[in-house]
Amino acid sequence: MPKHPEDKKRAMTRLNRIRGQCDALERALEAGDPCGPILQQIAAVRGGINGLMAEVMESYIREEFAADAASGKADDLLALVRSYLK
């Protein structure tokens, strides 16, 4: 988990948003809503999870490579991870 308070706050905010999306998805499924909007909501949840994963991973990489910040290793690795997650 991110150690910096601002990073942790961002991750928790994103998680709360994902929770809201999952609750809306559950209500839509229970109500028998059409498949199109349900699939769109599933895609939104997946995007939110991917964003959370990228955010936590970025925080972790920055913490682990803090000593190598001047060399740009963390930035190179982050660019690679971001391109993979898109």
Side-chain angles (χ1 to χ4, degrees):
M1 189 64 189
K3 292 182 174 84
H4 191 274
E6 188 63 32
D7 292 340
K8 186 174 183 177
K9 182 179 177 182
R10 268 197 316 270
M12 293 304 296
T13 299
R14 190 179 289 265
L15 182 59
N16 288 331
R17 190 175 312 124
I18 293 166
R19 184 177 292 123
Q21 290 173 323
C22 287
D23 290 344
L25 177 59
E26 181 179 12
R27 286 190 302 272
L29 287 169
E30 287 175 350
D33 288 357
C35 287
I38 288 175
L39 290 170
Q40 186 175 15
Q41 188 66 30
I42 292 170
V45 170
R46 183 176 58 183
I49 291 290
N50 286 343
L52 177 62
M53 182 172 57
E55 204 167 281
V56 172
M57 193 177 298
E58 179 175 346
S59 176
Y60 174 73
I61 290 169
R62 290 206 184 278
E63 290 170 9
E64 289 297 312
F65 288 93
D68 296 323
S71 70
K73 287 182 183 178
D75 291 333
D76 292 344
L77 183 56
L78 286 170
L80 177 67
V81 169
R82 283 188 197 115
S83 68
Y84 175 76
L85 291 176
K86 286 188 175 190

